[in-house]
Amino acid sequence: MTRRYNFCAGPAAMPESVLAQARDEMLDWQGRGLSVMEMSHRSDEMVGIATEAEQDLRELLGISDDYAVLFVQGGASSQFAAIPLNLMAEGQTADYINTGEWSKKAIKEAKRFGQVNVAASSEDTNFSTIPAFDRWQLTDNAAYVHYTPNETIGGVEFFWTPEVAAPLVADMSSTILSRPIDVNKFGLIYAGAQKNIGPAGLTIVIVRKDLLGKAQSITPTMLNYQTAADNDSMYNTPPTMAWYLSGLVFKWLKKQGGLEAMEIINRRKAEKLYGYIDGSDFYSNPVEVASRSLMNIPFVLADAALDKAFLKGAEEAGLLNLKGHRSVGGMRASVYNAVPESAVDALIHYMKDFAQTKG
Ligand code: PMP
């Protein structure tokens, strides 16, 4: 068996020890004689797995009892609709900050359900910056302020939390669990699981309890947060296997020393790669230095005609999924929690070799 280094933006690399434990428990979970995916979601076993996963997540992120933690389906993309449906009352406006492709998708969807004000945008810099807070044109009594703390495609990340009067809503799909955050600053945090949490199929919503129970009347039952909150996220059949695997990832994170420890490793990984890119005249990254993502590192070659050869050579060197998003081209290395520092070292080694022979 050979496991290669996987730089995929999502579904992304999983910790190897988690996969090994899942393999060992696959046919017979803890002597119960069946696999987790064969259990009733209402069984004591599965309810135990689910509860423990929630507790571990609460511990990792320091989530207080003022917040509900919901395990739902439909990906972060379904949340683009669920958020306005749940949080925007008739006649209200929601503020959105546009920092790239995922912000744009959230904005487009929200407009279907209510009034949207794009309070700030970095489109004028081709999304290579974050709009300065003093230029945000926020609405008085906005239903909420939505932003994308880490743009997975553009590789742009906020290293500060906006202080706004309205509930702050954050799409943390590609940054959650990469470093500590102060959950108390947010009204709602959501994330698709398939990057730093676990397998695709699960979406996590952390919502302040006082924001529940205000959904628009047209809200589908399954998109209404109250439904999940009232039923321990088991109103219907949840993605049990993804929930179990995410629980194993939470335990792995605790064993690594929690999010403080992950931040140190993640910063070291990112600094190494950006440092090499900046020092080279063959590779470049377009993002302003203060807003460079720790998780998603896009870069381009001096000559785009070499992209194909770069990717082919990378595959041969055991470095997978480095192709940039189809909307921007070039390369992108996603270096989530489960991507070890040795993967970054191997990538830099390959990049050096490639630049030397082809540059
Ligand atoms: N938001 C961000 C920041 C993302 O990176 C992604 C997925 N790459 C999404 C939303 C959409 O997530 P999903 O595929 O779970 O709908």
Side-chain angles (χ1 to χ4, degrees), residues 146-325:
H146 178 285
Y147 80 120
T148 311
N150 185 62
E151 285 281 357
T152 320
I153 295 174
V156 182
E157 181 165 358
F158 282 74
F159 291 98
W160 47 280
T161 307
E163 300 277 348
V164 294
L168 186 62
V169 174
D171 175 359
M172 292 211 185
S173 293
S174 49
T175 175
I176 196 163
L177 300 173
S178 66
R179 54 193 172 96
I181 50 166
D182 182 357
V183 171
N184 295 316
K185 291 190 167 166
F186 296 87
L188 186 149
I189 291 167
Y190 65 105
Q194 64 273 17
K195 300 157 196 304
N196 262 344
I197 295 172
L202 180 71
T203 310
I204 287 182
V205 178
I206 302 163
V207 55
R208 222 172 57 212
K209 286 176 181 165
D210 64 283
L211 297 173
L212 295 172
K214 298 177 181 168
Q216 295 181 26
S217 57
I218 59 159
T219 308
T221 305
M222 281 300 294
L223 287 188
N224 191 326
Y225 296 137
Q226 192 76 59
T227 306
D230 286 347
N231 293 281
D232 296 326
S233 301
M234 293 205 187
Y235 174 77
N236 76 332
T237 317
T240 47
M241 192 67 183
W243 198 333
Y244 152 72
L245 285 160
S246 301
L248 296 185
V249 172
F250 301 152
K251 294 228 180 285
W252 175 80
L253 283 170
K254 285 171 69 176
K255 223 153 101 193
Q256 306 309 303
L259 303 191
E260 284 83 5
M262 292 320 297
E263 174 168 17
I264 292 169
I265 301 167
N266 286 328
R267 284 196 184 275
R268 208 163 56 217
K269 280 155 46 184
E271 273 162 24
K272 262 190 193 176
L273 188 47
Y274 286 119
Y276 170 65
I277 291 170
D278 287 346
S280 133
D281 47 21
F282 186 76
Y283 303 99
S284 61
N285 167 285
V287 180
E288 65 174 345
V289 172
S291 308
R292 285 174 164 182
S293 169
L294 293 183
M295 294 288 101
N296 309 100
I297 305 184
F299 58 93
V300 292
L301 278 52
D303 178 3
L306 292 172
D307 283 4
K308 264 204 176 128
F310 180 91
L311 288 166
K312 187 164 176 282
E315 288 246 1
E316 284 162 11
L319 309 168
L320 307 182
N321 292 312
L322 285 163
K323 194 172 181 197
H325 190 270

Side-chain angles (χ1 to χ4, degrees), residues 17 50 229:
S17 62

Side-chain angles (χ1 to χ4, degrees), residues 51 56 117 158 288:
T51 308
D56 286 335
N117 167 48
F158 282 74
E288 65 174 345

